[in-house]
Amino acid sequence: MAVNSVHWFRKGLRLHDNAALQEALSGADSVRCVYVLDPWFAGSASVGVNRWRFLLESLEDLDLSLRKLNSRLFVVRGQPADVFPRLFKEWNVTRLTFEFDSEPFGKERDAAIVKMAREFGVETIVKNSHTLYSLDRIIELNNNSPPLTFKRFQAIVSRLGLPKKPLGTVTAEQMDRCRTDISENHDEHYRVPSLEELGFKTHGISPSTWKGGETAALERLHKHLERKAWVANFERPRINAYSLMASPTGLSPYLRFGCISCRLFYYNLLELYRQVRKNSSPPLSLFGQLLWREFFYTAATNNPKFDQMEGNPICVQIPWDRNPEALAKWAEGQTGYPWIDAIMTQLRQEGWIHHLARHAVACFLTRGDLWISWESGMRVFEELLLDADFSVNAGSWMWLSCSAFFQQFFHCYCPRVHTFKCAPFPPRRYIPKLKEYPNRYIYEPWNAPEAVQKAANCIIGVDYPKPMVNHAEASRLNIERIKQIYQQLSHYKGLSKFLPLVNLLNLNQHHQHI
Protein backbone atom coordinates (compact mmCIF):
# COMPACT_ATOMS: atom_id res chain seq x y z
CA MET A 1 0.00 0.00 0.00
CA ALA A 2 1.33 3.41 -0.97
CA VAL A 3 2.28 5.83 1.81
CA ASN A 4 1.10 9.32 0.93
CA SER A 5 2.19 11.83 3.55
CA VAL A 6 1.04 15.35 4.30
CA HIS A 7 3.14 17.48 6.61
CA TRP A 8 1.12 20.29 8.17
CA PHE A 9 3.19 23.41 8.87
CA ARG A 10 1.92 25.79 11.60
CA LYS A 11 4.83 27.04 13.65
CA GLY A 12 8.07 25.24 12.86
CA LEU A 13 8.41 27.03 9.49
CA ARG A 14 11.76 25.44 8.63
CA LEU A 15 13.41 22.41 7.06
CA HIS A 16 16.15 21.95 9.68
CA ASP A 17 15.46 20.10 12.95
CA ASN A 18 11.91 19.30 11.95
CA ALA A 19 11.15 15.92 13.50
CA ALA A 20 7.55 15.75 12.24
CA LEU A 21 8.62 16.54 8.66
CA GLN A 22 11.27 13.82 8.88
CA GLU A 23 8.50 11.38 9.90
CA ALA A 24 6.49 12.46 6.86
CA LEU A 25 9.44 11.66 4.60
CA SER A 26 10.31 8.30 6.19
CA GLY A 27 9.37 5.48 3.81
CA ALA A 28 6.83 7.65 1.99
CA ASP A 29 5.90 7.39 -1.68
CA SER A 30 4.73 11.01 -1.83
CA VAL A 31 4.98 13.99 0.50
CA ARG A 32 3.10 17.26 0.33
CA CYS A 33 3.95 20.17 2.62
CA VAL A 34 0.83 22.13 3.56
CA TYR A 35 0.10 25.41 5.32
CA VAL A 36 -3.56 26.10 6.09
CA LEU A 37 -4.36 29.81 5.95
CA ASP A 38 -7.74 31.15 6.91
CA PRO A 39 -8.40 34.38 4.91
CA TRP A 40 -11.33 35.30 7.18
CA PHE A 41 -9.01 35.11 10.19
CA ALA A 42 -6.55 37.43 8.45
CA GLY A 43 -9.20 40.07 7.99
CA SER A 44 -10.87 39.84 11.38
CA ALA A 45 -8.25 38.93 13.96
CA SER A 46 -6.33 41.47 15.97
CA VAL A 47 -3.01 40.71 14.30
CA GLY A 48 -1.24 43.65 12.68
CA VAL A 49 0.26 44.00 9.24
CA ASN A 50 3.88 43.54 10.39
CA ARG A 51 3.12 40.13 11.87
CA TRP A 52 1.25 39.02 8.74
CA ARG A 53 4.08 40.27 6.55
CA PHE A 54 6.61 38.29 8.59
CA LEU A 55 4.47 35.15 8.28
CA LEU A 56 4.01 35.53 4.52
CA GLU A 57 7.74 36.15 4.04
CA SER A 58 8.43 33.01 6.08
CA LEU A 59 6.06 30.98 3.90
CA GLU A 60 7.64 32.38 0.72
CA ASP A 61 11.08 31.44 2.00
CA LEU A 62 9.87 27.95 2.86
CA ASP A 63 8.38 27.55 -0.62
CA LEU A 64 11.64 28.71 -2.19
CA SER A 65 13.62 26.18 -0.14
CA LEU A 66 11.22 23.40 -1.15
CA ARG A 67 11.53 24.40 -4.82
CA LYS A 68 15.27 23.77 -4.58
CA LEU A 69 14.34 20.22 -3.52
CA ASN A 70 11.92 19.82 -6.46
CA SER A 71 8.92 20.27 -4.20
CA ARG A 72 6.54 23.13 -3.31
CA LEU A 73 4.56 24.49 -0.39
CA PHE A 74 0.79 24.04 -0.69
CA VAL A 75 -0.92 27.05 0.92
CA VAL A 76 -4.54 25.98 1.31
CA ARG A 77 -7.27 28.50 2.17
CA GLY A 78 -9.82 27.65 4.84
CA GLN A 79 -10.18 26.09 8.30
CA PRO A 80 -8.19 22.91 9.06
CA ALA A 81 -11.37 21.01 10.01
CA ASP A 82 -12.87 21.87 6.60
CA VAL A 83 -9.71 21.58 4.50
CA PHE A 84 -8.32 18.20 5.54
CA PRO A 85 -11.29 15.95 4.66
CA ARG A 86 -11.08 17.25 1.09
CA LEU A 87 -7.29 16.84 0.91
CA PHE A 88 -7.39 13.36 2.43
CA LYS A 89 -9.71 12.22 -0.39
CA GLU A 90 -8.12 14.20 -3.23
CA TRP A 91 -4.56 13.10 -2.47
CA ASN A 92 -5.29 9.62 -1.01
CA VAL A 93 -3.51 10.63 2.16
CA THR A 94 -2.43 7.86 4.53
CA ARG A 95 -0.21 9.80 6.94
CA LEU A 96 -0.49 13.26 8.52
CA THR A 97 2.42 14.73 10.49
CA PHE A 98 2.74 17.97 12.44
CA GLU A 99 4.68 19.58 15.25
CA PHE A 100 3.24 19.37 18.77
CA ASP A 101 1.56 22.59 19.91
CA SER A 102 1.74 22.96 23.69
CA GLU A 103 -0.72 25.83 23.95
CA PRO A 104 -4.27 25.04 25.14
CA PHE A 105 -6.10 26.19 22.01
CA GLY A 106 -3.63 24.31 19.81
CA LYS A 107 -4.03 21.09 21.78
CA GLU A 108 -7.81 21.29 21.48
CA ARG A 109 -7.64 21.95 17.72
CA ASP A 110 -5.14 19.16 17.16
CA ALA A 111 -7.15 16.59 19.15
CA ALA A 112 -10.11 17.25 16.83
CA ILE A 113 -7.91 16.85 13.73
CA VAL A 114 -6.38 13.59 15.02
CA LYS A 115 -9.87 12.20 15.69
CA MET A 116 -11.05 13.21 12.21
CA ALA A 117 -7.93 11.72 10.56
CA ARG A 118 -8.57 8.44 12.36
CA GLU A 119 -12.10 8.35 10.90
CA PHE A 120 -10.55 8.72 7.43
CA GLY A 121 -8.02 5.96 8.14
CA VAL A 122 -5.14 8.43 8.20
CA GLU A 123 -2.26 7.81 10.60
CA THR A 124 -1.15 10.89 12.56
CA ILE A 125 2.38 11.42 13.89
CA VAL A 126 3.05 14.36 16.22
CA LYS A 127 6.56 15.37 17.30
CA ASN A 128 7.81 18.02 19.72
CA SER A 129 10.42 20.46 18.42
CA HIS A 130 9.11 23.89 19.44
CA THR A 131 10.41 23.58 23.01
CA LEU A 132 13.67 22.25 24.42
CA TYR A 133 12.05 19.75 26.78
CA SER A 134 8.82 17.87 27.29
CA LEU A 135 6.67 20.31 29.24
CA ASP A 136 4.71 17.42 30.75
CA ARG A 137 7.96 16.00 32.13
CA ILE A 138 8.83 19.34 33.79
CA ILE A 139 5.38 19.46 35.36
CA GLU A 140 5.66 15.84 36.50
CA LEU A 141 8.97 16.53 38.26
CA ASN A 142 7.34 19.47 40.07
CA ASN A 143 4.69 17.31 41.78
CA ASN A 144 2.40 17.50 38.75
CA SER A 145 2.07 21.27 38.73
CA PRO A 146 3.97 23.88 36.69
CA PRO A 147 6.76 25.68 38.57
CA LEU A 148 5.66 29.28 39.12
CA THR A 149 9.01 30.87 39.90
CA PHE A 150 11.91 30.94 37.49
CA LYS A 151 14.26 29.75 40.23
CA ARG A 152 12.17 26.63 40.80
CA PHE A 153 11.91 26.09 37.05
CA GLN A 154 15.71 26.24 36.70
CA ALA A 155 16.08 23.68 39.49
CA ILE A 156 13.76 21.28 37.65
CA VAL A 157 15.48 21.80 34.28
CA SER A 158 18.90 21.17 35.81
CA ARG A 159 17.70 17.65 36.67
CA LEU A 160 16.64 16.93 33.09
CA GLY A 161 20.09 17.07 31.53
CA LEU A 162 20.64 18.27 27.99
CA PRO A 163 17.77 18.64 25.51
CA LYS A 164 17.57 16.30 22.54
CA LYS A 165 20.06 17.21 19.84
CA PRO A 166 18.70 18.92 16.72
CA LEU A 167 18.12 16.90 13.57
CA GLY A 168 19.72 17.81 10.27
CA THR A 169 17.96 19.57 7.45
CA VAL A 170 15.88 17.86 4.76
CA THR A 171 18.04 16.85 1.80
CA ALA A 172 17.38 16.61 -1.92
CA GLU A 173 18.05 12.87 -1.73
CA GLN A 174 15.29 12.43 0.87
CA MET A 175 12.81 14.44 -1.18
CA ASP A 176 13.71 12.62 -4.42
CA ARG A 177 12.74 9.28 -2.84
CA CYS A 178 9.16 10.54 -2.38
CA ARG A 179 8.84 13.10 -5.14
CA THR A 180 5.36 14.43 -5.74
CA ASP A 181 4.27 15.79 -9.10
CA ILE A 182 3.65 19.53 -8.98
CA SER A 183 0.94 20.72 -11.38
CA GLU A 184 1.64 23.53 -13.81
CA ASN A 185 -1.15 25.61 -12.28
CA HIS A 186 0.14 25.13 -8.71
CA ASP A 187 0.44 28.86 -8.12
CA GLU A 188 -3.15 29.39 -9.20
CA HIS A 189 -4.40 27.25 -6.33
CA TYR A 190 -1.66 27.01 -3.71
CA ARG A 191 0.68 30.01 -3.84
CA VAL A 192 1.49 32.25 -0.89
CA PRO A 193 -0.96 35.20 -0.99
CA SER A 194 0.02 38.84 -0.81
CA LEU A 195 -0.89 41.23 1.98
CA GLU A 196 -3.26 42.98 -0.42
CA GLU A 197 -5.06 39.71 -1.15
CA LEU A 198 -5.63 39.30 2.58
CA GLY A 199 -7.23 42.72 2.75
CA PHE A 200 -4.37 44.80 4.14
CA LYS A 201 -3.70 48.30 2.89
CA THR A 202 0.00 48.52 2.14
CA HIS A 203 0.26 52.12 0.93
CA GLY A 204 2.66 53.96 3.23
CA ILE A 205 3.60 50.84 5.19
CA SER A 206 7.05 51.04 6.83
CA PRO A 207 9.82 48.98 5.20
CA SER A 208 10.29 45.54 6.71
CA THR A 209 12.82 45.68 9.57
CA TRP A 210 12.69 41.92 10.19
CA LYS A 211 12.76 39.69 7.10
CA GLY A 212 10.77 36.55 7.79
CA GLY A 213 11.97 33.03 7.04
CA GLU A 214 14.42 30.25 7.81
CA THR A 215 17.12 31.69 5.53
CA ALA A 216 17.21 35.01 7.39
CA ALA A 217 17.02 33.19 10.72
CA LEU A 218 20.09 31.07 10.03
CA GLU A 219 22.03 34.12 8.85
CA ARG A 220 21.13 35.89 12.10
CA LEU A 221 22.15 32.86 14.15
CA HIS A 222 25.56 32.93 12.50
CA LYS A 223 25.97 36.61 13.38
CA HIS A 224 24.74 35.96 16.90
CA LEU A 225 27.41 33.33 17.40
CA GLU A 226 30.13 35.65 16.12
CA ARG A 227 29.89 37.47 19.44
CA LYS A 228 32.54 35.14 20.81
CA ALA A 229 33.88 37.60 23.34
CA TRP A 230 30.49 37.82 25.01
CA VAL A 231 30.11 34.03 25.14
CA ALA A 232 33.71 33.54 26.28
CA ASN A 233 33.47 35.96 29.16
CA PHE A 234 29.74 35.58 29.57
CA GLU A 235 29.22 39.26 30.08
CA ARG A 236 25.91 40.96 29.70
CA PRO A 237 25.86 42.99 26.49
CA ARG A 238 26.35 46.66 27.31
CA ILE A 239 23.19 48.70 27.02
CA ASN A 240 23.26 51.91 25.01
CA ALA A 241 20.96 53.92 22.77
CA TYR A 242 21.50 51.62 19.84
CA SER A 243 20.40 48.62 21.94
CA LEU A 244 16.91 49.90 21.19
CA MET A 245 17.35 49.26 17.49
CA ALA A 246 16.35 46.02 15.84
CA SER A 247 19.56 44.02 16.19
CA PRO A 248 20.89 42.05 13.19
CA THR A 249 21.53 39.21 15.66
CA GLY A 250 18.03 39.23 17.22
CA LEU A 251 16.19 35.92 17.02
CA SER A 252 12.96 36.24 19.01
CA PRO A 253 10.51 36.53 16.05
CA TYR A 254 12.21 33.56 14.37
CA LEU A 255 11.89 31.44 17.51
CA ARG A 256 8.23 32.39 17.80
CA PHE A 257 7.39 31.29 14.23
CA GLY A 258 9.78 28.35 14.38
CA CYS A 259 11.95 29.66 11.52
CA ILE A 260 14.86 28.60 13.70
CA SER A 261 15.02 25.63 16.02
CA CYS A 262 15.42 26.39 19.72
CA ARG A 263 17.49 23.20 19.97
CA LEU A 264 19.82 24.33 17.19
CA PHE A 265 20.24 27.67 18.97
CA TYR A 266 20.87 25.89 22.29
CA TYR A 267 23.51 23.50 20.94
CA ASN A 268 25.29 26.18 18.91
CA LEU A 269 25.62 28.26 22.08
CA LEU A 270 26.75 25.21 24.04
CA GLU A 271 29.37 24.21 21.48
CA LEU A 272 30.77 27.71 21.23
CA TYR A 273 30.94 28.05 25.02
CA ARG A 274 32.82 24.76 25.29
CA GLN A 275 35.26 25.82 22.60
CA VAL A 276 36.20 29.04 24.34
CA ARG A 277 35.97 27.68 27.89
CA LYS A 278 37.77 24.40 27.20
CA ASN A 279 34.82 22.04 27.72
CA SER A 280 33.74 23.51 31.06
CA SER A 281 30.04 23.27 31.93
CA PRO A 282 28.07 26.40 30.98
CA PRO A 283 25.83 28.18 33.47
CA LEU A 284 22.07 27.94 32.92
CA SER A 285 22.06 31.73 32.52
CA LEU A 286 23.79 31.31 29.14
CA PHE A 287 20.47 30.04 27.81
CA GLY A 288 18.35 32.68 29.55
CA GLN A 289 16.26 33.71 26.53
CA LEU A 290 15.39 30.09 25.74
CA LEU A 291 14.66 29.13 29.34
CA TRP A 292 12.34 32.07 30.03
CA ARG A 293 10.44 31.06 26.91
CA GLU A 294 10.26 27.48 28.16
CA PHE A 295 9.17 28.67 31.62
CA PHE A 296 6.13 30.50 30.24
CA TYR A 297 5.23 27.63 27.89
CA THR A 298 5.26 25.27 30.88
CA ALA A 299 3.07 27.57 32.97
CA ALA A 300 0.53 27.96 30.15
CA THR A 301 0.23 24.50 28.65
CA ASN A 302 -2.57 23.22 30.91
CA ASN A 303 -4.17 26.58 31.67
CA PRO A 304 -6.70 27.71 29.03
CA LYS A 305 -7.34 30.88 31.08
CA PHE A 306 -3.65 31.82 31.04
CA ASP A 307 -4.32 34.98 29.01
CA GLN A 308 -7.09 36.21 31.33
CA MET A 309 -7.28 37.47 34.90
CA GLU A 310 -10.69 36.05 35.81
CA GLY A 311 -10.69 32.30 36.24
CA ASN A 312 -6.90 32.13 35.98
CA PRO A 313 -5.71 30.15 39.04
CA ILE A 314 -2.21 31.66 39.07
CA CYS A 315 -3.23 35.30 38.57
CA VAL A 316 -3.86 37.75 41.39
CA GLN A 317 -7.28 39.37 40.99
CA ILE A 318 -6.48 43.10 40.90
CA PRO A 319 -9.27 45.72 40.53
CA TRP A 320 -7.75 47.51 37.56
CA ASP A 321 -9.31 50.72 36.22
CA ARG A 322 -11.22 50.79 32.93
CA ASN A 323 -10.03 53.80 30.96
CA PRO A 324 -10.31 53.37 27.15
CA GLU A 325 -9.09 56.89 26.48
CA ALA A 326 -5.89 56.42 28.53
CA LEU A 327 -5.32 53.00 26.94
CA ALA A 328 -5.60 54.51 23.45
CA LYS A 329 -3.09 57.26 24.29
CA TRP A 330 -0.62 54.62 25.54
CA ALA A 331 -1.13 52.36 22.52
CA GLU A 332 -0.75 55.21 20.03
CA GLY A 333 2.33 56.74 21.70
CA GLN A 334 0.53 59.88 22.89
CA THR A 335 1.21 59.78 26.65
CA GLY A 336 3.30 62.95 26.74
CA TYR A 337 6.31 60.98 28.00
CA PRO A 338 8.80 60.79 25.09
CA TRP A 339 10.49 57.65 26.40
CA ILE A 340 7.17 55.75 26.48
CA ASP A 341 5.90 57.26 23.23
CA ALA A 342 9.11 56.47 21.34
CA ILE A 343 8.88 52.83 22.40
CA MET A 344 5.23 52.46 21.40
CA THR A 345 5.89 54.20 18.06
CA GLN A 346 8.78 51.83 17.34
CA LEU A 347 6.56 48.87 18.21
CA ARG A 348 3.84 50.01 15.81
CA GLN A 349 6.28 50.78 13.00
CA GLU A 350 8.71 47.87 13.29
CA GLY A 351 7.02 45.12 15.31
CA TRP A 352 9.80 44.81 17.89
CA ILE A 353 11.14 46.56 21.00
CA HIS A 354 14.00 45.78 23.38
CA HIS A 355 13.08 43.72 26.46
CA LEU A 356 13.86 46.62 28.81
CA ALA A 357 11.64 48.85 26.70
CA ARG A 358 8.88 46.26 27.10
CA HIS A 359 9.35 46.41 30.84
CA ALA A 360 9.03 50.21 30.83
CA VAL A 361 5.81 50.45 28.80
CA ALA A 362 4.20 47.51 30.62
CA CYS A 363 4.93 49.05 34.01
CA PHE A 364 3.62 52.43 32.85
CA LEU A 365 0.32 50.93 31.67
CA THR A 366 -0.30 48.72 34.71
CA ARG A 367 1.10 49.09 38.21
CA GLY A 368 3.34 52.08 37.53
CA ASP A 369 1.12 54.90 36.27
CA LEU A 370 -2.18 54.17 34.52
CA TRP A 371 -3.47 51.21 36.59
CA ILE A 372 -4.96 49.56 33.49
CA SER A 373 -5.20 45.78 33.22
CA TRP A 374 -2.32 43.79 31.80
CA GLU A 375 -4.87 42.06 29.54
CA SER A 376 -5.30 45.30 27.59
CA GLY A 377 -1.55 45.68 27.08
CA MET A 378 -1.25 42.03 26.12
CA ARG A 379 -3.82 42.49 23.34
CA VAL A 380 -1.94 45.49 21.93
CA PHE A 381 1.28 43.45 21.91
CA GLU A 382 -0.60 40.55 20.32
CA GLU A 383 -1.50 42.84 17.44
CA LEU A 384 1.86 44.56 16.99
CA LEU A 385 4.71 42.46 18.42
CA LEU A 386 6.30 40.00 15.99
CA ASP A 387 7.37 37.56 18.69
CA ALA A 388 4.13 37.64 20.71
CA ASP A 389 2.43 34.32 21.30
CA PHE A 390 -0.15 33.04 23.77
CA SER A 391 2.25 31.78 26.42
CA VAL A 392 5.17 34.20 26.39
CA ASN A 393 3.06 37.31 25.81
CA ALA A 394 0.51 36.61 28.55
CA GLY A 395 3.17 35.32 30.94
CA SER A 396 5.36 38.40 30.49
CA TRP A 397 2.43 40.75 31.11
CA MET A 398 1.36 38.93 34.27
CA TRP A 399 4.94 39.04 35.53
CA LEU A 400 5.55 42.71 34.75
CA SER A 401 2.22 43.78 36.28
CA CYS A 402 2.94 41.88 39.52
CA SER A 403 -0.02 39.60 38.81
CA ALA A 404 1.94 36.31 38.87
CA PHE A 405 5.46 34.81 38.99
CA PHE A 406 6.71 36.55 42.12
CA GLN A 407 10.41 35.94 41.70
CA GLN A 408 11.38 39.58 41.10
CA PHE A 409 11.36 42.33 43.69
CA PHE A 410 9.09 45.27 43.19
CA HIS A 411 10.47 48.00 40.97
CA CYS A 412 8.74 50.91 39.28
CA TYR A 413 10.21 52.13 36.00
CA CYS A 414 10.29 55.88 35.63
CA PRO A 415 9.04 57.25 32.29
CA ARG A 416 11.11 60.43 32.80
CA VAL A 417 14.53 58.87 33.41
CA HIS A 418 15.98 57.30 30.31
CA THR A 419 16.68 53.64 31.11
CA PHE A 420 19.46 53.60 28.53
CA LYS A 421 21.69 56.28 30.05
CA CYS A 422 23.05 57.61 26.82
CA ALA A 423 22.39 60.01 23.97
CA PRO A 424 18.72 60.98 23.45
CA PHE A 425 18.40 58.83 20.36
CA PRO A 426 14.94 57.17 20.67
CA PRO A 427 12.67 60.26 20.82
CA ARG A 428 14.54 61.96 17.98
CA ARG A 429 14.09 58.94 15.72
CA TYR A 430 10.53 58.00 16.59
CA ILE A 431 9.05 61.38 17.58
CA PRO A 432 10.28 63.79 14.89
CA LYS A 433 8.43 66.72 16.49
CA LEU A 434 10.99 66.63 19.31
CA LYS A 435 14.10 66.41 17.14
CA GLU A 436 15.12 70.04 17.76
CA TYR A 437 14.83 69.80 21.55
CA PRO A 438 18.09 70.12 23.50
CA ASN A 439 19.33 66.97 25.22
CA ARG A 440 18.52 68.52 28.57
CA TYR A 441 14.78 68.50 27.84
CA ILE A 442 14.35 65.64 25.39
CA TYR A 443 12.77 63.32 28.01
CA GLU A 444 10.97 66.09 29.90
CA PRO A 445 10.02 68.60 27.19
CA TRP A 446 7.29 70.13 29.36
CA ASN A 447 10.06 71.53 31.57
CA ALA A 448 11.60 73.45 28.69
CA PRO A 449 11.12 77.24 28.87
CA GLU A 450 8.67 78.71 26.37
CA ALA A 451 11.52 80.21 24.36
CA VAL A 452 13.16 76.78 23.98
CA GLN A 453 9.86 75.23 22.90
CA LYS A 454 9.34 77.92 20.26
CA ALA A 455 12.91 77.55 19.02
CA ALA A 456 12.31 73.80 18.69
CA ASN A 457 9.07 74.43 16.75
CA CYS A 458 7.19 72.22 19.19
CA ILE A 459 4.92 73.71 21.84
CA ILE A 460 3.99 71.22 24.55
CA GLY A 461 0.24 70.89 24.77
CA VAL A 462 -0.15 72.01 21.16
CA ASP A 463 2.32 70.13 18.94
CA TYR A 464 3.13 67.35 21.40
CA PRO A 465 0.91 66.35 24.34
CA LYS A 466 1.45 67.27 27.95
CA PRO A 467 2.10 64.31 30.29
CA MET A 468 -1.20 62.48 30.72
CA VAL A 469 -0.42 61.64 34.33
CA ASN A 470 1.81 62.89 37.14
CA HIS A 471 4.21 59.98 37.52
CA ALA A 472 5.36 60.76 41.04
CA GLU A 473 1.83 60.94 42.38
CA ALA A 474 0.43 58.03 40.37
CA SER A 475 3.26 55.66 41.18
CA ARG A 476 3.04 56.40 44.92
CA LEU A 477 -0.72 55.74 44.87
CA ASN A 478 -0.32 52.54 42.85
CA ILE A 479 2.41 51.16 45.10
CA GLU A 480 0.03 51.59 48.01
CA ARG A 481 -2.70 49.81 46.06
CA ILE A 482 -0.46 46.86 45.24
CA LYS A 483 0.77 46.67 48.82
CA GLN A 484 -2.75 46.55 50.20
CA ILE A 485 -3.78 43.84 47.73
CA TYR A 486 -0.93 41.57 48.78
CA GLN A 487 -1.42 42.28 52.45
CA GLN A 488 -5.07 41.25 52.10
CA LEU A 489 -4.06 38.10 50.26
CA SER A 490 -1.58 37.12 52.93
CA HIS A 491 -3.98 38.01 55.78
CA TYR A 492 -7.21 36.50 54.52
CA LYS A 493 -5.95 33.56 52.50
CA GLY A 494 -2.91 32.67 54.53
CA LEU A 495 -0.79 32.70 51.42
CA SER A 496 2.66 32.92 52.92
CA LYS A 497 4.25 33.00 49.48
CA PHE A 498 3.05 36.60 49.11
CA LEU A 499 4.72 37.85 52.29
CA PRO A 500 8.20 38.37 50.79
CA LEU A 501 6.70 40.63 48.14
CA VAL A 502 4.75 42.61 50.76
CA ASN A 503 7.98 43.16 52.69
CA LEU A 504 9.73 44.26 49.50
CA LEU A 505 6.91 46.67 48.72
CA ASN A 506 7.43 48.29 52.11
CA LEU A 507 11.18 48.38 51.57
CA ASN A 508 11.09 49.77 48.04
CA GLN A 509 8.45 52.40 48.68
CA HIS A 510 11.28 54.69 49.79
CA HIS A 511 13.65 53.79 46.95
CA GLN A 512 11.70 54.42 43.77
CA HIS A 513 13.21 56.05 40.74
CA ILE A 514 10.65 58.85 40.43
Side-chain angles (χ1 to χ4, degrees), residues 57-329:
E57 288 173 349
S58 299
L59 295 178
E60 288 168 353
D61 181 71
L62 190 58
D63 184 44
L64 184 60
S65 296
L66 287 168
R67 286 186 195 217
K68 294 174 182 177
L69 302 177
N70 296 312
S71 182
R72 291 295 300 272
L73 179 66
F74 292 75
V75 178
V76 186
R77 316 288 181 92
Q79 293 268 1
D82 300 327
V83 162
F84 280 118
R86 173 170 59 84
L87 297 185
F88 289 163
K89 292 177 182 177
E90 185 178 330
W91 295 339
N92 295 317
V93 177
T94 61
R95 178 192 295 163
L96 174 67
T97 68
F98 53 85
E99 180 183 68
F100 175 68
D101 188 339
S102 69
E103 296 178 329
F105 166 78
K107 290 195 291 186
E108 182 180 343
R109 173 202 60 209
D110 293 348
I113 296 298
V114 168
K115 180 182 177 183
M116 183 184 67
R118 190 181 302 119
E119 293 169 356
F120 278 85
V122 175
E123 172 193 21
T124 55
I125 301 175
V126 184
K127 292 290 184 180
N128 178 55
S129 54
H130 194 64
T131 57
L132 294 170
Y133 298 99
S134 162
L135 306 184
D136 289 340
R137 179 60 177 152
I138 294 172
I139 291 169
E140 180 186 341
L141 289 175
N142 195 52
N143 298 319
N144 295 312
S145 65
L148 296 181
T149 69
F150 190 61
K151 184 177 180 181
R152 177 62 182 163
F153 174 81
Q154 286 181 300
I156 296 292
V157 166
S158 66
R159 293 163 55 187
L160 289 174
L162 295 174
K164 289 183 179 179
K165 290 189 174 181
L167 302 174
T169 194
V170 173
T171 64
E173 183 182 2
Q174 283 180 292
M175 199 63 82
D176 283 344
R177 286 199 292 265
C178 46
R179 182 176 295 189
T180 304
D181 291 335
I182 304 298
S183 64
E184 291 185 3
N185 64 348
H186 178 92
D187 283 344
E188 184 179 334
H189 298 287
Y190 299 117
R191 65 181 172 81
V192 179
S194 66
L195 284 169
E196 290 84 358
E197 287 177 277
L198 295 179
F200 289 100
K201 296 178 181 179
T202 57
H203 178 72
I205 187 175
S206 301
S208 176
T209 305
W210 300 78
K211 178 75 172 177
E214 180 181 18
T215 302
L218 292 172
E219 290 172 357
R220 282 172 171 267
L221 178 62
H222 179 71
K223 291 176 182 176
H224 190 95
L225 296 170
E226 286 178 346
R227 299 160 64 195
K228 290 188 178 182
W230 169 68
V231 177
N233 300 311
F234 198 57
E235 298 173 351
R236 287 182 178 272
R238 292 182 179 179
I239 301 297
N240 58 46
Y242 294 95
S243 301
L244 277 175
M245 297 299 293
S247 166
T249 66
L251 293 171
S252 59
Y254 303 92
L255 287 166
R256 182 259 180 263
F257 283 91
C259 300
I260 194 152
S261 156
C262 61
R263 298 189 295 207
L264 181 68
F265 184 21
Y266 183 100
Y267 273 95
N268 272 269
L269 277 177
L270 179 64
E271 181 182 352
L272 183 55
Y273 185 91
R274 285 175 169 171
Q275 285 176 5
V276 296
R277 286 296 187 94
K278 308 302 180 187
N279 293 315
S280 63
S281 297
L284 277 177
S285 53
L286 179 67
F287 310 106
Q289 179 183 3
L290 293 174
L291 293 181
W292 272 104
R293 174 178 179 268
E294 201 94 353
F295 171 61
F296 287 133
Y297 277 130
T298 306
T301 185
N302 295 328
N303 183 357
K305 300 284 190 179
F306 192 72
D307 63 342
Q308 304 169 32
M309 182 177 78
E310 287 189 26
N312 185 344
I314 70 167
C315 185
V316 176
Q317 304 299 297
I318 295 175
W320 302 105
D321 292 342
R322 293 182 182 274
N323 191 335
E325 183 181 350
L327 173 63
K329 287 181 179 179

